[in-house]
Amino acid sequence: MRVESKIWMIASGKGGTGKSTVAVLLGGRLAAQGKKVLLIELDSGLRSVDIIAGVYGKTVYDIEDVLAGRCEGSKAVVESPLYPGLSVISAPYEGGVVRPEALKVLVDRMTDYFDYLLLDTAAGMGDAFLAAASVSGGALLVQTPDPVALRDGRIVSDALYEGGMRQIRLVVNRLTGYSFRGGAVRDLDECIDTVGAQLIAVIPESRQIQQAAAGSTALPEGNLAFTALDRLAQRLEGKRVPLAVPRAGIG
Ligand SMILES: Nc1ncnc2c1ncn2[C@@H]1O[C@H](COP(=O)(O)OP(=O)(O)O)[C@@H](O)[C@H]1O
Ligand SMILES: [Mg+2]
């Protein structure tokens, strides 16, 4: 039976802002809230979702195999042992170009089986970004709160708006107690103004996130990063829950 699927791309101007991390952990929280979630990693050559989602070594086929027609989409889907209800299609270790037509065929098929599709893209506005934008209903811009990353985030959000993307939401990631002290970026309002997108989540810098990724283990409950991601999942669902903002982010 076809369920109403929600397709979100995860993007950023700069690399290393935490797109893949947020994509997996958000997918995990959506799954915990009863959704069937498929995360497709479109960052060729920089596979990392497999480690964070705990499917490292379980991947036989990757997204490049699917898009090139070498296997059925379903063959490349691997369930995360860490986050029940979250499935993953990994990026290739080295890969070709992501063609929008091929991605659309896959996405159309997968929306029959999943409530949410999360498309984790590469930094910037290359082929994976453009292909993801052509099939997504919304974009989550994952940005660290530093001036250069935020400015590049603006370039990406402008391009998405111009391309007709309806919903663009800002995720400020890796906020620390020092983020707004040096004066380079004043506060969350400045993050929002610089990127030009509505804020949907603030995720703190978290040692637990790094430990979970390093050990391919699930992010434990009971820390602020977990709560922030859980709230993000609820807010995507349209629930009116407040942001979980670390103290450093207030004022
Ligand atoms: N909130 C966070 N706190 C601490 N480390 C983080 C956080 N988000 C991401 N990271 C770390 O930042 C690095 C880059 O994250 P990744 O998700 O691979 O970024 P991207 O997909 O944007 O390139 C990884 O080492 C990851 O563990
Ligand atoms: Mg990534």
Side-chain angles (χ1 to χ4, degrees):
M1 191 185 72
R2 190 183 167 94
V3 273
E4 195 202 331
S5 123
K6 299 178 180 161
I7 306 170
W8 287 86
M9 67 186 289
I10 325 290
S12 72
K14 284 259 172 289
T17 60
K19 292 178 294 302
S20 299
T21 302
V22 168
V24 172
L25 298 178
L26 167 63
R29 293 321 303 157
L30 284 166
Q33 290 164 21
K35 305 294 169 196
K36 287 183 73 182
V37 185
L38 175 63
L39 166 54
I40 303 176
E41 185 181 28
L42 294 168
D43 198 350
S44 284
L46 290 169
R47 183 194 280 188
S48 56
V49 160
D50 59 340
I51 294 176
I52 311 169
V55 302
Y56 180 79
K58 297 187 171 71
T59 299
V60 178
Y61 297 105
D62 58 46
I63 186 66
E64 170 71 7
D65 293 318
V66 179
L67 298 182
R70 286 193 289 272
C71 76
E72 283 287 314
S74 57
K75 283 243 168 71
V77 174
V78 182
E79 279 191 42
S80 166
L82 307 181
Y83 303 105
L86 172 65
S87 298
V88 168
I89 299 181
S90 296
Y93 283 119
E94 52 187 292
V97 171
V98 180
R99 286 182 302 111
E101 310 79 36
L103 183 64
K104 184 167 187 336
V105 171
L106 173 68
V107 161
D108 283 349
R109 194 160 302 152
M110 289 301 160
T111 52
D112 286 345
Y113 303 102
F114 293 95
D115 304 316
Y116 274 88
L117 298 194
L118 302 178
L119 307 180
D120 179 26
T121 67
M125 297 185 287
D127 57 294
F129 171 89
L130 294 172
S134 73
V135 296
S136 298
L140 292 179
L141 293 186
V142 178
Q143 299 295 151
T144 48
D146 62 272
V148 178
L150 292 170
R151 194 194 52 202
D152 288 353
R154 179 55 172 251
I155 296 168
V156 172
S157 77
D158 281 351
L160 287 168
Y161 279 121
E162 275 163 31
M165 180 67 71
R166 290 186 308 257
Q167 301 188 75
I168 305 176
R169 296 290 181 271
L170 170 63
V171 176
V172 174
N173 188 30
R174 307 196 71 165
L175 192 79
T176 74
Y178 298 99
S179 294
F180 301 139
R181 289 219 184 130
V185 179
R186 267 193 320 275
D187 51 21
L188 280 175
D189 281 338
E190 190 174 339
C191 298
I192 297 165
D193 291 346
T194 307
V195 176
Q198 200 177 316
L199 184 67
I200 192 164
V202 181
I203 301 168
E205 174 76 17
S206 156
R207 207 153 28 94
Q208 278 108 332
I209 284 186
Q210 297 198 342
Q211 285 165 344
S216 255
T217 53
L219 180 67
E221 296 184 29
N223 58 71
L224 191 55
F226 181 95
T227 306
L229 287 150
D230 194 67
R231 297 271 175 88
L232 170 56
Q234 293 187 56
R235 288 163 72 94
L236 275 190
E237 275 287 283
K239 299 199 180 116
R240 295 182 67 86
V241 293
L243 295 165
V245 181
R247 280 175 60 82
I250 305 168

